[in-house]
Amino acid sequence: MMRAELSILDLVPITEGATAKDAIERSMRGAELADELGYKRYWFAEHHNTSSLASSATALLIGRAASRTSRIRVGAGGVMLPNHAPLVVAENYGTLANMFGERIDLGLGRAPGTDPLTAQLLRRTAADPQSFATAIHQMQGWMSDDGSPGGVPISSAASAGTNVPMWVLGSTVNGASIAAQLGLPFSVASHFAPDSLDDAISLYRANFNPDAPTAQISEPRVMVGVNILVADSDQEAEFEFTSHMQMMLDGATNKRRKVQPPAEVASFADDRAAAFVNATLRVRAVGSPATVKERLDQLQARTEADEFIFTSYIFNEEKWHKSLRLLADLWGMA
């Protein structure tokens, strides 16, 4: 089995004491390092109405990161399509592709990436599977060679001929089914929604349709979301990972604050809360290089993933960069 490629998912975390401007610049430095170390992709995920993340305007972040890198693919992981008009998405990402060539990716999800009230303020496209599939078909038309989808008398010079690669994002068998029917690559959000990981991958592979009009690949391609943090020792890595745990717990309890420094688990979670967070984040490889390699090897054997895309909410930027370097080294990239 070929070793899975490694990619990074960045939500532009705003750490305690920092501003959104600081967080964006930190992410740009992360993209530059990822480019240097040989990671496959650097994706930004759309979120709204949160105190801890500055990843609302993904197209702008992608453009900035692409301008500061030279090799790595940069994209959305993803655009939450219910929040956008498909034509605007096609024009934005077509423009990026015209600016930065074939390094641009477009991952698409059906979730709003926020709370219900904010979703109402953002909503532009229905989230049901048929509307989602129709929107993808239209966007592909606007990015096709003639820049126009069949049946819609609207063309887009900004996106025509760019044919930006698309991914379907999902955490359940529903997302897997859509990706399979459309003949598109599938990214599983198992880094925060692990319950349906195996069933979703199995259904996707069994039902993949390479002959669909929307197909962009000839065989299934699976990307698995995983939480990764590498440090010199298991103990150090587990301690640094508590920033991520606090962030997850804050989201579950609607506690609005920035990403917190690492702390002993007992100081922020009782046994029940700690069990919830650990279960939610159980698709993870956190520890020393040897521990992380073992866990990633186990996950690849389990899922036969073509690619891992990982999150790392590490409070200290130097330790985040060290984690990226250690991971690249143990995976044979550096």
Side-chain angles (χ1 to χ4, degrees):
M1 182 189 306
M2 292 287 292
R3 175 167 281 179
E5 295 181 291
L6 287 181
S7 297
I8 298 170
L9 180 64
D10 189 352
L11 277 65
V12 195
I14 310 172
T15 55
E16 188 64 52
T19 64
K21 181 178 180 180
D22 297 330
I24 292 170
E25 181 58 27
R26 170 175 159 155
S27 287
M28 295 306 120
R29 291 191 293 267
E32 289 173 335
L33 179 60
D35 189 39
E36 173 190 328
L37 293 174
Y39 286 96
K40 176 74 172 180
R41 310 172 201 275
Y42 201 98
W43 279 6
F44 295 95
E46 177 185 349
H47 284 74
H48 302 277
N49 191 29
T50 171
S51 302
S52 59
L53 305 173
S55 57
S56 301
T58 52
L60 296 178
L61 294 168
I62 291 164
R64 183 64 171 163
S67 72
R68 290 175 57 164
T69 56
S70 60
R71 179 205 56 81
I72 195 168
R73 300 190 65 85
V74 188
V79 168
M80 299 297 102
L81 198 49
N83 303 337
H84 306 276
L87 176 58
V88 174
V89 176
E91 291 176 332
N92 283 344
Y93 284 80
T95 299
L96 286 168
N98 277 308
M99 294 169 66
F100 301 107
E102 297 180 352
R103 291 198 293 134
I104 303 300
D105 293 325
L106 176 54
L108 298 161
R110 290 193 301 133
T114 189
D115 59 275
L117 178 59
T118 307
Q120 289 180 8
L121 296 174
L122 292 166
R123 178 146 294 172
R124 292 294 180 272
T125 303
D128 64 278
Q130 184 57 55
S131 296
F132 183 68
T134 298
I136 289 176
H137 182 68
Q138 289 177 340
M139 286 187 292
Q140 287 187 341
W142 283 311
M143 293 177 180
S144 68
D145 291 342
D146 63 7
S148 179
V152 180
I154 302 294
S155 62
S156 171
S159 58
T162 57
N163 295 294
V164 175
M166 293 183 181
W167 290 70
V168 172
L169 315 181
S171 59
T172 68
V173 293
N174 292 329
S177 178
I178 294 171
Q181 291 172 22
L182 296 177
L184 294 176
F186 180 48
S187 180
V188 194
S190 41
H191 56 294
F192 70 88
D195 291 345
S196 299
L197 172 60
D198 300 295
D199 289 342
I201 292 174
S202 178
L203 184 146
Y204 169 70
R205 289 191 173 122
N207 293 277
F208 181 78
N209 181 10
D211 299 318
T214 49
Q216 292 187 335
I217 52 177
S218 59
E219 57 186 24
R221 182 172 180 86
V222 173
M223 174 191 285
V224 171
V226 56
N227 304 289
I228 300 179
L229 197 160
V230 194
D232 289 331
S233 68
D234 289 351
Q235 183 179 17
E236 179 187 357
E238 291 288 354
F239 181 68
E240 293 297 330
F241 190 68
T242 59
S243 291
H244 194 158
M245 295 176 70
Q246 292 177 77
M247 182 179 169
M248 178 59 66
L249 190 58
D250 287 351
T253 58
N254 200 29
K255 190 172 185 178
R256 300 182 63 83
R257 58 177 183 167
K258 297 177 180 179
V259 178
Q260 297 298 298
E264 296 298 330
V265 174
S267 70
F268 63 82
D270 57 23
D271 290 346
R272 182 176 180 181
F276 162 77
V277 172
N278 280 317
T280 303
L281 302 177
R282 67 181 180 270
V283 178
R284 73 195 201 207
V286 175
S288 67
T291 296
V292 169
K293 183 178 183 303
E294 179 183 7
R295 292 179 181 171
L296 288 179
D297 285 342
Q298 291 171 348
L299 185 60
Q300 186 169 4
R302 169 185 168 187
T303 63
E304 298 183 0
D306 299 292
E307 191 169 338
F308 292 134
I309 188 163
F310 66 92
T311 55
S312 296
Y313 301 107
I314 303 174
F315 185 83
N316 181 279
E317 185 176 1
E318 290 184 4
K319 292 186 177 182
W320 176 40
H321 287 186
K322 182 175 182 179
S323 178
L324 294 180
R325 289 190 176 96
L326 289 171
L327 179 59
D329 186 53
L330 73 87
W331 212 244
M333 297 192 301

